């Protein structure tokens, strides 16, 4: 085999090795970036979960201190529990949040409430207050229970 062919094959081999090294380093960097993104996403979701747990506890404290309307608390707690631990909504004493939500879900809120006729809003408020009165003791007990509940990660 002529010497020039040997040197050409050596040069080609070194070129292939260089290209493979570049490919390996890019793949390693991509894997590291993916792991970093995954860790960041996991940390974000964990922080979001902890924020929701804290919100549940704050709302429960507000219920216990009579600082929030029970209907509002039930709607908010049901929404948070849907994300945190939906199975709790089927268990006693937390079932009351779901029951009150089901009674109130047809009522407009926020802008829709503002756009609704005043007499209709007054009628809905009367219905809402009756529901709050009917479930008041259960709501207070459930609020205390959910405040003390240990949400597992």
């Amino acid at each position: 085999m002529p010497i020039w062919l040997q040197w050409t094959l050596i040069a080609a081999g070194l070129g292939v090795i260089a290209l493979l090294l570049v490919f390996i380093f890019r793949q390693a960097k991509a894997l590291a970036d993916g792991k970093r993104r995954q860790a960041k996403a996991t940390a974000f979701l964990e922080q979001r979960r902890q924020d929701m747990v804290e919100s549940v506890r704050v709302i429960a404290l507000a219920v216990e201190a009579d600082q929030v309307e029970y209907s509002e608390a039930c709607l908010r707690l049901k929404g948070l529990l849907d994300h945190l631990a939906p199975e709790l909504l089927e268990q006693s004493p937390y079932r009351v949040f779901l029951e009150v939500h089901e009674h109130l879900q047809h009522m407009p809120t926020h802008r829709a409430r503002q756009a609704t006729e005043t007499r209709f809003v007054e009628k809905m408020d009367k219905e809402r207050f009756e529901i709050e009165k009917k479930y008041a003791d259960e709501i207070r007990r459930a609020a205390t229970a959910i405040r003390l509940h240990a949400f597992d990660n």
Side-chain angles (χ1 to χ4, degrees):
M1 182 179 307
I3 192 97
W4 63 268
L5 183 57
Q6 291 175 0
W7 282 109
T8 304
L9 292 174
I10 290 171
L14 290 174
V16 169
I17 290 171
L19 288 174
L20 287 173
L21 284 174
V22 168
F23 176 76
I24 290 169
F25 283 123
R26 284 186 180 173
Q27 288 299 95
K29 186 178 183 311
L31 285 172
D33 289 346
K35 286 181 181 178
R36 190 171 38 256
R37 276 194 302 274
Q38 182 63 37
K40 188 175 180 180
T42 301
F44 172 79
L45 291 175
E46 180 57 33
Q47 183 60 49
R48 184 172 179 230
R49 179 176 171 72
Q50 291 305 319
D51 290 345
M52 284 191 277
V53 168
E54 182 63 24
S55 293
V56 165
R57 293 202 168 109
V58 168
I59 294 168
L61 279 171
V63 168
E64 292 173 328
D66 276 337
Q67 294 176 342
V68 65
E69 291 180 349
Y70 291 167
S71 56
E72 176 75 13
C74 288
L75 293 174
R76 291 181 182 272
L77 287 169
K78 192 264 184 198
L80 287 165
L81 288 175
D82 277 343
H83 296 285
L84 282 171
E87 68 279 0
L88 288 179
L89 292 170
E90 299 299 325
Q91 300 172 10
S92 181
Y94 315 113
R95 188 177 304 118
V96 70
F97 302 136
L98 180 62
E99 290 173 10
V100 172
H101 177 270
E102 288 173 352
H103 285 295
L104 301 177
Q105 69 184 357
H106 69 280
M107 296 181 182
T109 59
H110 308 302
R111 287 189 184 144
R113 180 180 168 90
Q114 292 172 353
T116 304
E117 185 181 324
T118 306
R119 285 190 341 194
F120 187 64
V121 169
E122 290 171 357
K123 180 183 172 191
M124 287 186 303
D125 283 345
K126 183 179 177 189
E127 179 183 346
R128 183 171 53 88
F129 293 141
E130 288 173 9
I131 292 168
E132 286 181 6
K133 187 176 179 181
K134 176 182 176 184
Y135 289 100
D137 291 335
E138 287 180 66
I139 293 170
R140 280 193 297 273
R141 280 193 298 275
T144 301
I146 200 71
R147 181 176 58 82
L148 299 175
H149 182 76
F151 290 94
D152 297 328
N153 290 332

